[in-house]
Amino acid sequence: MALSYKARRRLSILVLVVGLPLYIVVAVTLTGWLNERFGRLPIWAELLVYIGLGFLWMLPLKPVFSGVGREDPDAKK
């Protein structure tokens, strides 16, 4: 079932306002747990973890955000 433009736009705002801050809390908690469990990672490994976590949240949400910045294709002109 494809989402309408209006539904994708509302869902994308919800994801950015609620979901992304929650994901940031989870990511920081995960990296804190890694630091406690294994000690401080080398700076290059820590950078790779943060870059990976930064891109990870986008992958499942790509269909929600696609085309949201454009004009509504179903709008009457």
Side-chain angles (χ1 to χ4, degrees):
M1 182 176 120
L3 292 173
S4 69
Y5 174 78
K6 203 176 230 184
R8 280 186 300 148
R9 191 167 177 162
R10 288 179 180 160
L11 187 58
S12 66
I13 290 172
L14 180 69
V15 166
L16 289 175
V17 171
V18 177
L20 191 55
L22 288 175
Y23 180 77
I24 291 169
V25 169
V26 169
V28 169
T29 304
L30 175 68
T31 55
W33 177 81
L34 284 174
N35 284 340
E36 288 177 10
R37 176 93 171 142
F38 301 109
R40 182 79 188 243
L41 295 174
I43 191 71
W44 60 270
E46 198 168 314
L47 181 65
L48 287 176
V49 167
Y50 280 115
I51 290 173
L53 288 171
F55 282 105
L56 186 65
W57 73 272
M58 292 185 290
L59 295 177
L61 297 171
K62 187 176 179 182
V64 173
F65 290 111
S66 65
V68 171
R70 299 186 191 137
E71 290 185 30
D72 186 358
D74 299 328
K76 297 178 182 176
K77 295 180 181 184

